[in-house]
Amino acid sequence: MKTITRFLLLSLVLVFAAMPSFAANFVILNADGPNEGFNDPTPAAPVGGNPGTTLGQQRINAFVHAANIWAQNLDSPETIYVVAAFNPLAPNVLGSAGAWDVFSDFAGGSTFPGVQYPGSEYPLTWYSSALADRRAGYDHDITSPDINAQFSSNFNFYLGLDNNHGPLNDLVAVLLHELGHGLGFQNFVSEATGANLGGFFDGPRFYPVQTDVYSRFTLDTTNNLTWDVMTQAQRQASAIRYGRVVWNGPNVTAAAPGVLSLGSPIVNVLSPVSLAGAYQFGGANFGPPLGSPTVTASIVAAVDPADVAGPTTTDGCTFFTNAAAVAGKIALIERGTCGFTQKVARAQAAGAAAVIIYNNAANAGVAPPTMATDAIFGPTITIPSVSLSRADGLAILAQLGGGVTATIGVDNSLLAGANAANQVRLYMPFPVAGGSSGSHYDTATRRNQLMEPAISADLTHSVNPPEDLTMPLMRDIGWFPDADLDAVDDNIDANPNSDLNPTVAIGGCDSGVGNFLFPNGESLIDKINAIKAAASNHGQYVSGVAHLLNDLKKAGTISGADKDAIQNCVSQDN
Amino acid sequence: MKKRSVLLATVVGALLLGSVAQADVKVVTGSPRAAKAIAAEAARTAAAPAPTVLARESWTGTRAIIFDQATKTVRKPNATEVAQMVSHLRQMTNRPERTKKSVQANRTSGTRQGSIEGDQANVIVARANADGSYETLCVHTFEEAAEFLGLKRSAPGTSSGQ
């Protein structure tokens, strides 16, 4: 009997452990007209687990599949409305999606007895509509959708649900990504200007620009400021600090080691302090892969004759005149006139350990390029090389008099796409990439992430660790508020502000018995306090607690000695 | 003792908790919410320059991004395709200046609403590889999409060269 009981108990535990204690409902609002988009009657053969037999039905199935993945992972008492359509778009334009509205400074409602929704966590902070509804416990605007989306009806998406897309673009992955933006994986900052969203008039009342919840977790490690406290100019400058801007949320940071692989390709300046940090770089389609070997050395500017092969002394197109100084060091060369491979070949001949080529004036505004190879010098290159932006190259050049040391290669102590504190990098390329900057994880992350700016072919349909870091970010921005950090989300927490003292202490009397948490979010102390609050006199209080402790003792949860110790404290508590 | 306590507490709690929420996804047609979005999209489209006007902007496709199904090769977009891309990307990224948006509702509760009507949407663009696969990029601005797709604006007074 005892064995059977234990088995049943264990089975129940496993069942409940396997079941999510949260969910969300989605409604896809079909905005297509007859015989188009979702309603396209063109016959189609079922593909990859999508049983639809028309193009329209297959699109619906893919949309429902993607929404269902989010629905199973998110938590909201409010239905999330996504207005969607498939329209004929231009070649190579696949679609768009985003939040319909944003809200701030909203109070939490109380839909069910005992369930108080928290409202906005931060003042003067925009939240995307779906997240705002979730935290408020009510629909802020019953006439509007939360997310709008349109996708191309003439692009050849893979419509299967099994991720077996081959060379085609997987519609489900694209939908997961775009819905992710609409659900809150985006800031509302103009990275080009650094401006926050705002400046609205409501009649005569003017609302100043204000930050958004995503920006509150966007940390620039060069000045240790998050975007919400920066000036517009500081945000504008931060938006192009490649590798230096990270997600500062505890859930993403905690999950990163279980998702990202060790070994981060880097160009890191180690000294002086004023230049230290990770740099955005372009790779080379010649020479050894980065990290083979990793080079740490001083940087030396290459000097070559200004001649017909190259008109300046910085272009590295001819044999260096300071070969002895360059030997064993990282050669710094300016882009232009001759090919990348020729410059690296000259540095190699001088004995350089690695090469940095920075953009010339003609390419001052463009990103560090991926350097092309050629048939002449390319096959001869045996040292690693990278490219840098002109601004970064000139900054290094200006400091060479005092000595600049850098590492080019792979840092095996770093998670790919994170800093030393496991904070995951956000995509902040130079030049600034509009809305792509900031609202994506960095392309340096490995494994590839759903919320990188590009939809990688090797994505799974997971939004959770160990495959993906999207859901931890959703937790950070407040999809699962948990005020007392007891791991029971507030909307299902019977006591969102539990007394989590390690031992059961009542009215100054510490019983020494371990306090514990019930899965509904109440601690044992909470339960005792609730009995006290409901009791009309001391006798009723003591009796009520005695009943509770007896039940727990019978269930084997506490011992007789535990019961006596707690009861003794309760008896003394007036 | 401790394990048993946790086990029982978990069971008791799970039972106290009652039923757990279930995810649900429905597809609905003819919703007023959708009508509102359709109207906003129509307004956005109407506010964008017409394709014929855009064609006169003299954009050129400088990069092979179109996978030609007939020849199984990647080619540059022709003039018509460039005009279509410029037109649609203009429409999809045609959003008011972020700090000058005039639509705003102040709730009596103190809630602030920014009726951005989806104009902060991200746009997915793609360019074809030689094997017929596509690279994608999630962008926010027309300029970024144009850069990724290799669309270059010709100097004023010059032809598109296509």
Side-chain angles (χ1 to χ4, degrees):
Chain A
M1 178 60 198
K2 207 168 181 180
T3 305
I4 292 172
T5 304
R6 282 181 177 168
F7 174 76
L8 286 172
L9 287 172
L10 183 60
S11 301
L12 277 170
V13 170
L14 292 175
V15 165
F16 279 98
M19 292 174 72
S21 58
F22 46 81
N25 296 327
F26 277 70
V27 169
I28 311 299
L29 304 168
N30 178 353
D32 281 322
N35 301 319
E36 64 151 352
F38 285 126
N39 308 316
D40 190 329
T42 305
V47 57
N50 188 333
T53 54
T54 65
L55 198 51
Q57 188 59 50
Q58 289 194 351
R59 288 169 177 157
I60 289 174
N61 292 345
F63 228 105
V64 168
H65 186 76
N68 199 42
I69 290 171
W70 279 119
Q72 290 175 358
N73 282 281
L74 293 174
D75 168 38
S76 182
E78 292 302 314
T79 297
I80 298 167
Y81 292 92
V82 182
V83 62
F86 275 80
N87 296 318
L89 300 178
N92 296 35
V93 180
L94 275 57
S96 70
W100 179 264
D101 280 331
V102 291
F103 298 90
S104 78
D105 302 280
F106 48 88
S110 181
T111 308
F112 303 105
V115 177
Q116 174 65 44
Y117 291 94
S120 47
E121 185 173 7
Y122 305 102
L124 303 175
T125 301
W126 295 121
Y127 286 77
S128 59
S129 178
L131 175 54
D133 289 356
R134 182 266 169 270
R135 293 191 61 91
Y138 53 82
D139 191 343
H140 278 91
D141 186 346
I142 60 171
T143 68
S144 296
D146 297 301
I147 296 171
N148 72 322
Q150 68 164 329
F151 291 90
S152 172
S153 59
N154 43 13
F155 186 80
N156 187 26
F157 286 111
Y158 177 71
L159 296 172
L161 312 180
D162 60 357
N163 202 24
N164 188 23
H165 52 80
L168 298 179
N169 277 78
D170 184 30
L171 178 60
V172 171
V174 172
L175 292 172
L176 287 172
H177 178 104
E178 292 303 305
L179 290 175
H181 283 311
L183 292 165
F185 201 115
Q186 72 176 125
N187 65 39
F188 296 102
V189 175
S190 168
E191 279 82 4
T193 65
N196 281 329
L197 182 67
F200 301 140
F201 281 96
D202 176 33
R205 188 172 179 180
F206 177 73
Y207 288 94
V209 293
Q210 60 185 34
T211 191
D212 57 77
V213 67
Y214 187 99
S215 292
R216 286 185 174 273
F217 293 92
T218 301
L219 174 70
D220 188 326
T221 57
T222 59
N223 53 19
N224 210 31
L225 295 176
T226 46
W227 276 26
D228 57 304
V229 299
M230 287 184 182
T231 65
Q232 182 175 334
Q234 285 176 318
R235 269 190 303 276
Q236 185 182 27
S238 181
I240 52 173
R241 289 203 178 110
Y242 174 89
R244 321 279 179 93
V245 181
V246 298
W247 184 257
N248 189 36
N251 285 290
V252 171
T253 301
V259 175
L260 303 180
S261 57
L262 272 174
S264 189
I266 51 156
V267 173
N268 261 7
V269 172
L270 307 175
S271 65
V273 172
S274 60
L275 292 178
Y279 282 70
Q280 180 183 6
F281 64 93
N285 290 333
F286 52 85
L290 215 54
S292 302
T294 291
V295 174
T296 297
S298 300
I299 299 175
V300 175
V303 180
D304 71 324
D307 55 19
V308 67
T312 71
T313 59
T314 57
D315 58 43
C317 292
T318 43
F319 289 100
F320 299 172
T321 57
N322 65 338
V326 167
K329 306 294 195 304
I330 298 170
L332 183 66
I333 307 173
E334 189 174 19
R335 183 181 179 181
T337 305
C338 61
F340 297 116
T341 55
Q342 185 170 334
K343 295 170 189 283
V344 177
R346 300 303 182 223
Q348 187 170 286
V355 176
I356 294 172
I357 297 174
Y358 63 97
N359 277 341
N360 54 353
N363 294 288
V366 304
T370 298
M371 299 185 289
T373 189
D374 62 30
I376 302 169
F377 296 103
T380 71
I381 303 299
T382 59
I383 59 174
S385 56
V386 295
S387 67
L388 291 185
S389 72
R390 181 163 182 80
D392 288 343
L394 291 179
I396 291 171
L397 192 64
Q399 297 289 321
L400 289 183
V404 178
T405 305
T407 294
I408 296 174
V410 174
D411 186 338
N412 287 316
S413 70
L414 292 179
L415 296 172
N419 65 10
N422 290 344
Q423 293 170 308
V424 179
R425 285 158 47 173
L426 297 174
Y427 183 57
M428 298 290 179
F430 173 84
V432 66
S436 288
S437 293
S439 296
H440 293 101
Y441 284 131
D442 196 286
T443 53
T445 55
R446 296 285 182 279
R447 58 189 304 160
N448 283 322
Q449 295 296 295
L450 175 67
M451 297 311 290
E452 287 181 49
I455 306 294
S456 302
D458 60 351
L459 292 176
T460 67
H461 287 171
S462 171
V463 294
N464 277 303
E467 294 85 12
D468 197 72
L469 290 166
T470 305
M471 275 310 300
L473 188 144
M474 294 297 184
R475 284 187 174 276
D476 283 336
I477 62 174
W479 269 98
F480 297 85
D482 179 14
D484 55 11
L485 301 177
D486 64 358
V488 181
D489 300 324
D490 286 349
N491 68 317
I492 57 169
D493 194 333
N495 190 333
N497 297 293
S498 284
D499 186 333
L500 299 175
N501 192 63
T503 54
V504 179
I506 308 290
C509 170
D510 191 337
S511 68
V513 177
N515 186 22
F516 60 85
L517 193 71
F518 292 80
N520 69 342
E522 272 187 307
S523 69
L524 180 53
I525 298 176
D526 294 340
K527 283 191 176 293
I528 293 171
N529 286 335
I531 291 169
K532 181 180 181 181
S536 56
N537 56 54
H538 188 257
Q540 208 173 48
Y541 168 38
V542 173
S543 172
V545 173
H547 280 296
L548 169 68
L549 297 177
N550 277 333
D551 288 346
L552 291 172
K553 180 172 173 289
K554 280 180 190 169
T557 308
I558 61 173
S559 67
D562 293 340
K563 173 183 173 295
D564 292 344
I566 296 171
Q567 195 72 59
N568 183 48
C569 282
V570 169
S571 300
Q572 300 173 39
D573 181 29
N574 291 307
Chain B
M1 175 61 207
K2 196 172 181 181
K3 282 183 181 173
R4 284 174 65 197
S5 299
V6 171
L7 190 71
L8 284 163
T10 304
V11 173
V12 170
L15 293 173
L16 285 173
L17 205 56
S19 59
V20 292
Q22 293 294 308
D24 185 34
V25 179
K26 292 176 183 165
V27 180
V28 173
T29 57
S31 159
R33 294 186 201 236
K36 188 171 182 177
I38 292 168
E41 186 60 33
R44 210 183 338 257
T45 302
T52 50
V53 174
L54 293 165
R56 289 201 295 273
E57 284 187 5
S58 298
W59 287 83
T60 306
T62 64
R63 181 176 182 132
I65 58 168
I66 303 282
F67 188 75
D68 192 314
Q69 291 293 342
T71 62
K72 302 296 182 192
T73 58
V74 182
R75 60 170 173 77
K76 292 179 183 177
N78 60 35
T80 302
E81 290 165 335
V82 168
Q84 286 176 338
M85 281 191 274
V86 171
S87 171
H88 277 136
L89 288 170
R90 285 274 196 224
Q91 288 171 19
M92 297 171 85
T93 58
N94 178 41
R95 46 186 67 94
E97 181 67 29
R98 289 166 192 252
T99 54
K100 293 179 182 173
K101 182 77 179 179
S102 60
V103 181
Q104 161 69 33
N106 175 34
R107 307 301 185 82
T108 53
S109 65
T111 298
R112 298 174 178 189
Q113 175 175 0
S115 294
I116 56 176
E117 296 186 344
D119 67 12
Q120 301 291 321
N122 291 277
V123 180
I124 290 266
V125 291
R127 59 189 185 200
N129 299 314
D131 64 356
S133 64
Y134 283 82
E135 287 178 75
T136 57
L137 191 68
C138 184
V139 302
H140 204 142
T141 64
F142 175 83
E143 290 72 22
E144 191 189 6
E147 172 71 23
F148 180 73
L149 297 172
L151 304 178
K152 302 289 184 193
R153 191 170 193 170
S154 306
T158 64
S159 72
S160 67
Q162 294 173 75

